[in-house]
Amino acid sequence: MKILILCNELRFYLLHSVSLSVGHLSSGLGVIKLIVVLHYKLFLIKLFGI
């Protein structure tokens, strides 16, 4: 599925960015999950009128 590939790419980018600087990883991963779920749900609503 394309959405899984997108999630993996976003995780890799976040891990790479955090490894280069001091930062927190967990909040960024949570935001990625939230955004992906919201876009997926909105896409289904638009597609099927749910």
Side-chain angles (χ1 to χ4, degrees):
M1 241 173 126
K2 290 182 182 181
I3 198 163
L4 295 176
I5 294 170
L6 174 65
C7 289
N8 286 333
E9 289 177 359
L10 289 171
R11 281 189 206 107
F12 177 77
Y13 175 76
L14 183 63
L15 286 170
H16 180 71
S17 298
V18 170
S19 70
L20 295 176
S21 64
V22 177
H24 297 282
L25 180 63
S26 62
S27 60
L29 287 175
V31 169
I32 288 173
K33 288 180 183 179
L34 179 62
I35 290 172
V36 169
V37 167
L38 286 174
H39 280 282
Y40 185 71
K41 288 292 187 181
L42 291 174
F43 173 75
L44 287 178
I45 289 171
K46 184 177 179 183
L47 185 64
F48 295 111
I50 298 173

